[in-house]
Amino acid sequence: MSASRSDSRTGVWLVGARGSVATTVVAGCAAVTAGLHPPVGMVTETPAFAGAGLPALSSLVFGGHDTLDCPLPKRAEALAAGGVLPPGLPSAVHAELAAADRDIRPGGPLPGDTRGEDELIDAFAADLRDFAERVGARRTVVVNVASTEPVAAGAALPPSSLYAAAALRAGCPYVNFTPSTGLHHPALAAPAADSGLPYAGRDGKTGQTLLRSVLGPMFAQRALAVRAWSGTNLLGGGDGAALADPAAAAAKNAGKERVLADTLGGPVEGQVHIDDVPALGDWKTAWDHIAFDGFLGARMVLQTTWQGCDSALAAPLVLDLARLTARAHEAGRAGPLGELGFFFKDPVGEGPAGLGEQYAELVRFGEELRGDGADAGAGERR
């Protein structure tokens, strides 16, 4: 992650680059690379992916777009004060945070911006090309980790789709870690298909829905009839503020409901409520209440509680996705990467919905990448 050029560098361009998830991604990658912390939560650092030719963590170079101007080192200090990052880590990886911050460019559209969609896409794509040239990245993966936006309506491209279109225009593989529209906009279907680029998404599966993708198949496989499945989320931080908007919350909940419908074989009664609790910061609590019938109609209930830090759950997955997507691009893969459904609530492409089956698909994908060969040195560990 130094500033010197290297033929083996891989760019990771984060949309929402000064947010909690992005800051944790940059700080975490630096910490693991330096041996300060183990790669807990990183699937690509497990034996199943050894020899798959993934880019080394030490080869990743970060930049991004954001509409905020808080420098990454300062943002990291705030996360450490809130218990998201370990004490002392921001100062230990200050150089890496500062280097990434220098490669963050203004996003948009901002209030008063008179540029049309095509001008904005061109500007964002130019930022991507300039970054890749300047840092000497062989390829750059664009990952959307920005706040959730409302469901797109009409022909206009929402911000997430402008960034996705810019990735296509710059020849960059794309990952949508959010429930926002991104490449799902109808106007981008043809450009995505014609681009020859791999892409993955959408909406990272980090907490409540991760648990649902395990429990749903359990009920189905044991032939237990689920009568209702309701949930509540309490969260703060940027996500809490964004999801206080009912339209944004609806976009988020669509993925949660889809996982249940896919794993249980159809829709089930119940909703998920999302409450913004600013005092929680980047921490969240999720409750689920599952009513189901057993043998001879015996009525039973399962209740679960999930408490976690969203940024710490998401960051290792973002690193996994950046490495896997970069490797898929190197191997000549194009189109939706359905094999990465393990990471998402609403995966693109074809694939199973249960977590166990999704993991098996992911491991098979790693085996395929291993068989495809890699450039010398690309599979170096950490």
Side-chain angles (χ1 to χ4, degrees):
M1 296 176 62
S2 66
S4 62
R5 293 174 64 90
S6 169
D7 288 340
S8 63
R9 298 185 116 193
T10 297
V12 181
W13 189 265
L14 301 166
V15 178
R18 290 194 169 112
S20 297
V21 172
T23 305
T24 307
V25 167
V26 177
C29 185
V32 173
T33 298
L36 301 176
H37 289 272
V40 174
M42 286 195 65
V43 179
T44 53
E45 284 291 300
T46 61
F49 296 90
L54 305 181
L57 289 176
S58 58
S59 77
L60 303 184
V61 191
F62 297 95
H65 281 119
D66 209 320
T67 56
L68 304 177
D69 58 7
C70 178
L72 281 183
K74 192 173 186 67
R75 180 67 174 143
E77 290 172 4
L79 291 176
V84 177
L85 297 179
L89 184 62
S91 60
V93 298
H94 182 275
E96 288 87 348
L97 290 165
D101 193 70
R102 288 192 292 272
D103 279 314
I104 296 176
R105 298 293 176 262
L110 294 168
D113 194 334
T114 59
R115 290 176 293 177
E117 290 180 352
D118 204 56
E119 291 176 288
L120 285 164
I121 293 168
D122 267 346
F124 297 156
D127 290 336
L128 282 162
R129 294 190 193 100
D130 177 67
F131 168 74
E133 172 63 25
R134 197 157 20 82
V135 303
R138 182 177 302 178
R139 57 185 50 83
T140 298
V141 179
V142 176
V143 187
N144 182 16
V145 290
S147 296
T148 301
E149 65 189 16
V151 175
L157 295 179
S160 66
S161 295
L162 295 174
Y163 294 121
L168 298 180
R169 196 165 292 185
C172 297
Y174 175 80
V175 177
N176 189 1
F177 200 73
T178 80
S180 300
T181 304
L183 280 183
H184 276 66
H185 196 283
L188 298 184
D194 295 341
S195 69
L197 295 166
Y199 55 89
R202 68 182 163 170
D203 200 3
K205 187 163 56 185
T206 59
Q208 183 181 44
T209 311
L210 177 67
L211 191 58
R212 286 178 166 210
S213 67
V214 174
L215 293 177
M218 178 195 75
F219 284 108
Q221 291 161 7
R222 292 297 296 268
L224 297 169
V226 175
R227 292 184 292 107
W229 197 318
S230 301
T232 296
N233 274 249
L234 308 179
L235 69 162
D239 260 2
L243 294 173
D245 178 353
K252 185 78 171 177
N253 284 336
K256 293 177 179 288
E257 293 166 3
R258 190 172 293 106
V259 167
L260 289 184
D262 288 347
T263 56
L264 295 175
V268 63
E269 179 184 330
Q271 295 180 329
V272 175
H273 298 277
I274 300 176
D275 295 330
D276 177 25
V277 184
L280 291 178
D282 281 273
W283 298 81
K284 69 177 181 182
T285 296
W287 294 301
D288 268 352
H289 184 282
I290 308 157
F292 65 99
D293 289 343
F295 191 52
L296 304 180
R299 296 208 156 184
M300 292 175 268
V301 168
L302 172 64
Q303 294 180 331
T304 67
T305 302
W306 178 287
Q307 293 178 308
C309 174
D310 226 23
S311 299
L313 290 165
L317 306 186
V318 171
L319 291 169
D320 284 336
L321 285 162
R323 300 175 85 191
L324 288 162
T325 306
R327 179 69 183 96
H329 185 232
E330 180 189 24
R333 295 291 297 267
L337 296 175
E339 299 92 338
L340 302 187
F342 174 79
F343 297 99
F344 298 105
K345 298 182 182 74
D346 183 19
V348 298
E350 299 297 325
L355 192 71
E357 294 170 296
Q358 289 177 334
Y359 179 71
E361 283 286 308
L362 181 63
V363 171
R364 279 194 290 272
F365 184 53
E367 292 170 352
E368 288 177 15
L369 295 177
R370 189 179 298 115
D372 285 337
D375 295 342
E380 168 197 353
R381 303 282 286 178
R382 287 215 295 278

